[in-house]
Amino acid sequence: MNLRDVIARDAIFFDAPFDGATTKTTALDAFAPQVAQADFVCLGEMNHFVHEKSVFRLFFANWLIAEGWTSFAEELGWSDGVRVSRYLASGDERAFAQLPSFNYLGHLRKDRDDRPAGILKVPDYPVAAFVSEQSRFYRGIRAVGAQRLYGIDIDGAPGGGYEDIRAWLAPFAAKDRVARFLDALEQVPGESAYDEAQRLRRLSAAVIATDVGAGIARDVQFALDALADSFAYIRLAYSAQTYDAVRPAMALRENIMKRHFANAEVLNGGTRMILMGHALHLARHGDPVGSTGVGPGGGQVSSLGAHLAQERGLKSFSVWMLYGAGEDAQPFANLPTRADYPADSLNAVLASFQRPLLLPLRDPAFDTPMKIGHMYNMTVSIAPRAQTDAIFFLPTVTPIRA
């Protein structure tokens, strides 16, 4: 039996066009036993800049929330997560205009430019479209009962944590220890990103715990850690002129995500979470980026997914979203936006069915390494079943939209 025959036998096919908000989720009931045994669920997309990423996420989120999974962790800045969780609790959509990762500028320093200046510089990032896509998804999950979301990535435009901390401590600002803490929190004019990270690491919320309560002190400490981590990352990454020079920053970032996921577990009180991000961050084995580009961990440390699976021994249920054709809105002018995957890729084989499908990876055929296409027409050679439990496939995708 060839690979196409295996797919034809095992896949669940859907009608096109596929709508994640309204398509019935009964096909996912077959995964209920695996999900029940999982410590966390992974929803991994191969491209951040396609509209259908949100379609995929919402389809699975609708079912998972109905199954009792109401907490999310996302490849998103820590301060963004604080603000999205506030929206999930209150329904106040003003939070969407105050996400530091999506062009909210009120938190930025005036005496230092903390934007990318090297190879990661992007003059025309599709901010409005990204905010719209994220907002649609957050509205969708709130409507069906999502309760919390944690951002476990670095803050790409760091500083939002200062606002979060001050808001938490404002009711206690008259207390001496809290006032001294807030004074020490103040940014020092002219300090470098390195000096700022070091200053923040020296601050400990433990000194104010008796005044503000253990819960708020913990929130403050995690926000301090996230701020320091983000400034440490941008110091390494934003001046890099080549992809090789970015590798140490990518390794630091991946390790930061591991720590932030652990902090999110603490805040979530042991309740299981749905982890969302680029599929290669969620790979269960190593840093499967291949010989080109700089993937999760920069080729120097294991991916977040491998850390959770191999180093911590946690069990996940994982689904990756693949596609065969279409366009994205990735902003790098020297990289492609139209999908063009080789004929021997898994994407091309799945595309031959010309229908949306969900493929459980039960057959040993998927233990063999095969090419999988993702952003910028890059491919990785991996054994799919070692990395994920199922593949959700769409024949074509479109750019993120406002």
Side-chain angles (χ1 to χ4, degrees):
M1 185 178 290
N2 63 33
L3 185 61
R4 196 175 189 283
D5 291 336
V6 171
I7 296 169
R9 182 195 66 195
D10 291 349
I12 301 164
F13 292 91
F14 300 96
D15 293 331
F18 184 92
D19 181 357
T22 60
T23 301
K24 291 183 178 179
T25 60
T26 50
L28 303 182
D29 291 344
F31 297 117
Q34 290 170 273
V35 168
Q37 296 299 315
D39 296 307
F40 63 102
V41 168
C42 290
L43 300 179
E45 77 270 3
M46 280 295 181
N47 194 326
H48 299 312
F49 298 95
V50 297
H51 166 69
E52 288 72 17
K53 173 190 81 172
S54 296
V55 172
F56 155 68
R57 286 180 169 186
L58 193 55
F59 177 58
F60 280 89
N62 284 341
W63 180 74
L64 287 163
I65 291 170
E67 293 288 306
W69 294 69
T70 58
S71 296
F72 294 75
E74 184 175 2
E75 184 186 340
L76 186 73
W78 186 267
S79 183
D80 298 298
V82 169
R83 295 163 193 222
V84 173
S85 273
R86 189 181 305 142
Y87 159 74
L88 292 177
S90 69
D92 186 347
E93 294 197 358
R94 285 178 295 182
F96 299 154
Q98 297 177 337
L99 301 179
S101 289
F102 300 115
N103 217 36
Y104 169 65
L105 304 178
H107 65 295
L108 291 181
R109 294 184 67 117
K110 304 298 189 289
D111 62 340
R112 192 180 73 221
D113 190 347
D114 285 336
R115 295 170 296 180
I119 197 169
L120 299 180
K121 183 176 181 179
V122 180
D124 297 312
Y125 199 86
V127 172
F130 233 127
V131 172
S132 292
E133 293 285 357
Q134 295 290 113
S135 301
R136 278 193 287 268
F137 174 71
Y138 298 142
R139 289 187 194 104
I141 62 173
R142 183 177 187 272
V144 293
Q147 296 181 5
R148 291 171 290 274
L149 187 141
Y150 305 96
I152 61 165
D153 204 349
I154 55 96
D155 291 308
Y162 283 108
E163 294 180 338
D164 301 330
I165 292 169
R166 291 184 186 114
W168 290 325
L169 297 186
F172 311 96
K175 297 187 176 184
D176 287 344
R177 276 178 296 206
V178 177
R180 290 196 298 271
F181 181 91
L182 287 168
D183 285 343
L185 183 68
E186 287 296 320
Q187 294 167 319
V188 177
E191 68 183 341
S192 67
Y194 173 82
D195 289 337
E196 187 165 7
Q198 295 303 108
R199 175 176 58 80
L200 291 165
R201 292 201 195 284
R202 288 192 296 269
L203 281 173
S204 172
V207 301
I208 57 171
T210 56
D211 293 312
V212 303
I216 292 176
R218 181 189 58 194
D219 289 342
V220 169
Q221 189 64 58
F222 287 164
L224 286 173
D225 294 343
L227 279 167
D229 286 341
S230 297
F231 286 120
Y233 169 81
I234 67 166
R235 173 177 171 265
L236 282 180
Y238 283 6
S239 62
Q241 299 298 317
T242 66
Y243 287 117
D244 275 345
V246 175
R247 291 186 186 279
M250 293 299 286
L252 175 64
R253 178 188 172 201
E254 204 70 15
N255 284 337
I256 287 169
M257 291 173 74
K258 296 168 190 176
R259 294 198 300 273
H260 287 186
F261 184 84
N263 288 348
E265 289 178 299
V266 172
L267 292 178
N268 207 42
T271 302
R272 299 179 299 178
M273 292 187 288
I274 302 163
L275 174 58
M276 305 181 298
H278 193 286
L280 297 185
H281 283 296
L282 310 183
R284 292 170 176 157
H285 295 275
D287 175 16
V289 76
S291 58
T292 59
V294 182
Q300 299 180 359
V301 301
S302 63
S303 65
L304 169 64
H307 165 74
L308 296 175
Q310 307 302 319
E311 297 166 25
R312 289 189 52 188
L314 299 180
K315 186 175 182 180
S316 68
F317 175 78
S318 179
V319 185
W320 286 9
M321 175 194 158
L322 276 61
Y323 58 93
E327 292 186 77
D328 64 26
Q330 74 79 17
F332 291 97
N334 60 332
L335 294 172
T337 58
R338 181 177 292 275
D340 184 17
Y341 299 127
D344 62 345
S345 65
L346 179 58
N347 306 64
V349 177
L350 293 167
S352 69
F353 291 93
Q354 301 182 17
R355 289 180 65 187
L357 63 87
L358 177 60
L359 178 64
L361 299 182
R362 301 190 182 106
D363 195 279
F366 296 103
D367 293 335
T368 300
M370 53 189 69
K371 289 180 185 176
I372 293 181
H374 60 109
M375 296 173 69
Y376 320 126
N377 289 333
M378 294 176 61
T379 62
V380 292
S381 181
I382 59 174
R385 197 160 70 147
Q387 304 290 5
T388 187
D389 297 290
I391 288 172
F392 177 78
F393 179 81
L394 291 173
T396 189
V397 293
T398 56
I400 54 175
R401 61 190 71 160

